Amino acid sequence: MRQTILAVLSLSAMAALLTGCGGDMVLLNSKGPVAQGQSDLMMTAIYLMLLVVIPSALMAVWFGWKYRASNKDADYKPTWAHSTAIEVVVWGIPVIIIGILAWLTWWGSHKYDPYRPIESDKAPLTVQVIAEQFKWIFIYPEQNIATVNELRFPEKTPVSLRLTSNFTMNSFFIPALSGQIYAMAGMQTHLNFLANETSPAEGYRGFSSNYSGYGFSQMRFRAHSVTDAQFAEWVNAVKAGNGTSINPEAVQKTVLDQAEFATLRDGNRSKHQIEAMLAHAETDKQKEAAALAEAEGPYPTKPHPVTYYSSVEPKLFESVINKYMSNYHGADHSAAGHEAAASEAHANAGHATASVGE
C-alpha cells in the first residue's frame, strides 16, 4: 500500500511539473512550430499513458480498501481463476494505446523530421555549424561572416542549419525552437527551425546535450531571434568590424581562416593533468604528448566569449568535413589531394603517350 501511495504522489508531482507549475519548463514553453509540435506529441503520449497508470493506481487503492480483512461483505472466492472481461480490459486497452502511440510516432517522425524544410513565404537563412572543442562556430555563407557561441536570425524566417564536428560527436540543442541533432566528424547533418517571435534580450538557451569531454559543459551559446531590420543591422555591423556596437560583450575580429580556426581548439585535460604529464614524461613519445597537451592548454572552465568575424575563408566548412574524409577508402578528398591526383593522372597520361610513341 505504501509503495502504491508513493507511486501516485510521484506521478502527481511529475504531472504538476510538466504542466508548468514548477516554473518555466522550456520544453513546454516552445517558441517555434517545430518545438511546439514536438511538445504536443510528448504531452499526447503522456496523457495516453496516464489512461493506464491513473486507473491502475486508483484501483490498487480501491481493491486494498474493499477487500480489507475487516470488510465482511466483500466477496470471498478462493477458487477464482479467470475472467474474460478482465482479460479484455487488461490486454485490449494497452494494445489500443500502443497502436495510437505507434501511429503518432510514425506521423511525428515524418512531420518533424529535422531534415524537412519548413514551409514559409520567406527564403530560409542558411547557417553552417561546427562543433569545435569546446565551443560552437556559426558560419553565415551568404553573409560571409562567422560567430562563436552566438546564433542570430530573423523572426518568422526558416533557419536551415548544416552541422558537422571538428572533433568527437556532439549534440546541438535549442530546446525552445527544435529538437536535438547530432554533429559528427566527416558528416553533415541538417536541422530546420523557425522562431514565431523575437527572443528575450538574453536570447534562447543553446547547448551541447551529448557528453564529449571534460569541457563539454561549457559548450553553451545564445540564440537570438530578432526583427529583419535588426538582423540586417547586425550583419552590416559585423562585416564593418563593429559588431560590438550591437553586443558590447562580444569580441570583434577580422577573418576566420584556417590559421585562426586552429587557435579555437581547447585542450581536453586539466591544468594538473598537463603538469603531471610534463613532470613524468620520460620517453620521446610521452614528451611529445606532454608538449602537445601544453600547447593546447587546459579544458575551459567557462564558455568561450562571443566572437564575431567580419569575413570567412571560402569553403572553410567543407574543409572541416573533407579533413576527416581524406582517408575514406584510401582516397584523399581534400583540395590538395584532388590537385595531386590530377597531376599524377596527367603524368601517367604523358608517360603512356610516350610509351606508345616508342
Side-chain angles (χ1 to χ4, degrees):
M1 177 65 71
R2 184 175 63 181
Q3 292 178 343
T4 302
I5 295 174
L6 289 175
V8 173
L9 292 176
S10 299
L11 289 171
S12 301
M14 184 183 299
L17 288 174
L18 290 174
T19 53
C21 297
D24 182 14
M25 304 298 290
V26 64
L27 292 177
L28 303 181
N29 189 19
S30 307
K31 302 301 181 181
V34 176
Q36 182 62 52
Q38 294 175 341
S39 175
D40 291 343
L41 281 175
M42 179 177 65
M43 293 308 302
T44 300
I46 290 175
Y47 294 147
L48 284 172
M49 290 184 287
L50 287 178
L51 291 177
V52 172
V53 174
I54 292 178
S56 298
L58 293 176
M59 284 190 294
V61 175
W62 182 72
F63 286 161
W65 175 80
K66 179 176 176 59
Y67 295 103
R68 65 192 185 278
S70 59
N71 185 12
K72 304 301 182 181
D73 296 329
D75 296 335
Y76 177 65
K77 297 181 180 180
T79 60
W80 180 88
H82 176 75
S83 171
T84 302
I86 292 178
E87 292 289 342
V88 170
V89 172
V90 169
W91 289 100
I93 293 178
V95 167
I96 294 173
I97 291 176
I98 291 173
I100 296 174
L101 288 174
W103 182 85
L104 285 174
T105 301
W106 179 88
W107 176 83
S109 298
H110 290 81
K111 176 68 174 179
Y112 303 108
D113 182 358
Y115 280 66
R116 181 177 181 175
I118 295 178
E119 298 178 0
S120 174
D121 296 334
K122 293 184 177 181
L125 172 68
T126 300
V127 181
Q128 298 168 338
V129 184
I130 303 175
E132 184 51 88
Q133 183 178 316
F134 292 96
K135 58 186 64 68
W136 294 99
I137 301 172
F138 302 96
I139 299 174
Y140 295 73
E142 298 168 355
Q143 290 75 23
N144 193 34
I145 61 173
T147 67
V148 177
N149 282 351
E150 183 180 279
L151 176 63
R152 284 183 185 261
F153 48 88
E155 63 170 336
K156 300 177 182 178
T157 298
V159 180
S160 178
L161 301 184
R162 303 292 187 268
L163 304 100
T164 191
S165 175
N166 194 36
F167 71 124
T168 187
M169 183 172 70
N170 242 291
S171 180
F172 181 92
F173 194 19
I174 308 176
L177 297 175
S178 68
Q180 66 87 31
I181 190 73
Y182 286 109
M184 295 169 280
M187 299 180 64
Q188 179 182 181
T189 52
H190 297 187
L191 179 66
N192 294 276
F193 65 83
L194 181 146
N196 291 328
E197 59 191 47
T198 58
S199 62
E202 67 275 10
Y204 301 125
R205 290 191 301 119
F207 52 89
S208 169
S209 60
N210 185 81
Y211 181 78
S212 55
Y214 288 117
F216 99 101
S217 60
Q218 307 306 328
M219 292 187 68
R220 304 194 298 270
F221 65 93
R222 288 289 172 175
H224 296 272
S225 174
V226 297
T227 64
D228 291 339
Q230 289 174 330
F231 179 74
E233 180 185 6
W234 173 74
V235 171
N236 292 331
V238 172
K239 291 176 71 71
N242 192 29
T244 54
S245 63
I246 306 297
N247 183 359
E249 298 180 357
V251 177
Q252 177 71 58
K253 293 189 176 183
T254 54
V255 60
L256 178 60
D257 53 13
Q258 292 290 352
E260 174 66 19
F261 183 73
T263 65
L264 293 176
R265 167 152 295 202
D266 294 313
N268 54 11
R269 294 178 175 87
S270 69
K271 179 181 178 181
H272 300 295
Q273 286 177 312
I274 296 174
E275 292 174 350
M277 290 177 67
L278 291 170
H280 298 92
E282 297 179 355
T283 65
D284 293 339
K285 189 174 182 180
Q286 290 175 338
K287 292 179 180 178
E288 181 181 354
L292 178 61
E294 184 180 26
E296 289 182 344
Y299 60 80
T301 56
K302 60 181 180 179
H304 189 280
V306 174
T307 307
Y308 298 147
Y309 292 94
S310 56
S311 63
V312 185
E313 178 182 307
K315 303 294 183 180
L316 179 62
F317 179 78
E318 290 78 3
S319 69
V320 174
I321 299 176
N322 292 338
K323 178 174 67 174
Y324 293 94
M325 295 293 289
S326 61
N327 292 323
Y328 182 63
H329 291 318
D332 189 348
H333 294 267
S334 63
H338 286 305
E339 292 177 1
S343 299
E344 183 180 356
H346 180 73
N348 291 337
H351 178 71
T353 303
S355 299
V356 171
E358 293 176 357

